[in-house]
Amino acid sequence: MKLSALNYISLLFILVLGTWLLALSSCSPNSNLQGKGQDYLQGEWEQRQEAVHSKLLNYTLYHYKFTCDSFYVTLQSFSKVNYGADTCMNKGHWVEYAKGRYEQQHDTLMVKGFFCDSKFKIRNEGGCFRVGVYEELFKVTNHTDTSVQIRNTADVLPINLHLMKRITCNPKPL
């Protein structure tokens, strides 16, 4: 069966239009605003030292600030074992910082960002502390208006965070 020129052009037009509509519907432009994040997490949260910590060789206390879909974390680490130069570990106590984005799917809280200095500027190679990617997975086991309990998937003890200050998300342009 031979196609006439008109049928051929009509078929070609339908194919081009269909492909264009398929491509248009399969992608969408990225938003030019930061995401909203989880309402219940918006604010500054602090883990307080508990009695169990004094029995551990190593532990870290977290201070998280969640604003929209971003996080800032201060990690205060304590160790009874000397892992490095005492000028870095300061007699078993040191502080690291990280910032990035977080996402929650079901009960899993994923935080991914980069290690920073104390002013939350990306940390360069060298020095005493970790550099590069900071990534943690937590299971959210419980939350109320003033407390969140999360469990690091690489740790046994739960992390009990207490609300220090509530923050309202005002998405910023990217």
Side-chain angles (χ1 to χ4, degrees):
M1 176 177 159
K2 279 188 149 183
L3 289 176
S4 69
L6 184 58
N7 286 343
Y8 180 75
I9 291 172
S10 297
L11 184 61
L12 186 60
F13 176 76
I14 290 171
L15 278 171
V16 169
L17 180 63
T19 304
W20 182 76
L21 287 173
L22 183 63
L24 187 62
S25 67
S26 66
C27 61
S28 61
N30 288 332
S31 171
N32 59 353
L33 288 177
Q34 113 187 83
K36 278 192 59 75
Q38 297 293 320
D39 287 337
Y40 79 93
L41 279 177
Q42 302 301 306
E44 289 188 42
W45 300 84
E46 182 175 76
Q47 180 186 17
R48 297 178 185 142
Q49 191 163 14
E50 298 175 27
V52 69
H53 290 125
S54 65
K55 297 175 181 159
L56 300 173
L57 287 177
N58 305 302
Y59 64 93
T60 299
L61 296 178
Y62 294 85
H63 180 103
Y64 270 102
K65 177 180 177 183
F66 293 99
T67 174
C68 298
D69 67 351
S70 300
F71 77 88
Y72 300 83
V73 64
T74 301
L75 305 150
Q76 286 199 54
S77 296
F78 299 87
S79 179
K80 295 176 184 172
V81 179
N82 188 0
Y83 284 113
D86 203 37
T87 56
C88 297
M89 304 309 176
N90 194 24
K91 298 180 182 162
H93 177 243
W94 63 97
V95 181
E96 294 177 291
Y97 307 88
K99 71 176 182 179
R101 292 188 62 218
Y102 77 92
E103 184 179 336
Q104 184 170 344
Q105 292 180 1
H106 307 289
D107 65 351
T108 303
L109 178 65
M110 298 165 281
V111 294
K112 185 171 185 177
F114 294 94
F115 284 99
C116 302
D117 63 18
S118 61
K119 294 179 181 167
F120 290 99
K121 303 286 183 203
I122 301 296
R123 193 172 193 68
N124 293 325
E125 290 284 330
C128 296
F129 305 110
R130 295 179 284 179
V131 296
V133 175
Y134 168 78
E135 187 171 14
E136 302 262 5
L137 289 174
F138 300 102
K139 180 179 179 182
V140 179
T141 54
N142 191 16
H143 71 83
T144 67
D145 287 343
T146 59
S147 68
V148 174
Q149 185 179 67
I150 56 179
R151 187 179 303 270
N152 189 320
T153 57
D155 203 350
V156 178
L157 295 176
I159 298 166
N160 297 307
L161 298 172
H162 303 277
L163 182 65
M164 305 302 292
K165 177 182 166 187
R166 185 62 68 191
I167 295 174
T168 302
C169 171
N170 295 311
K172 294 178 179 65
L174 298 176

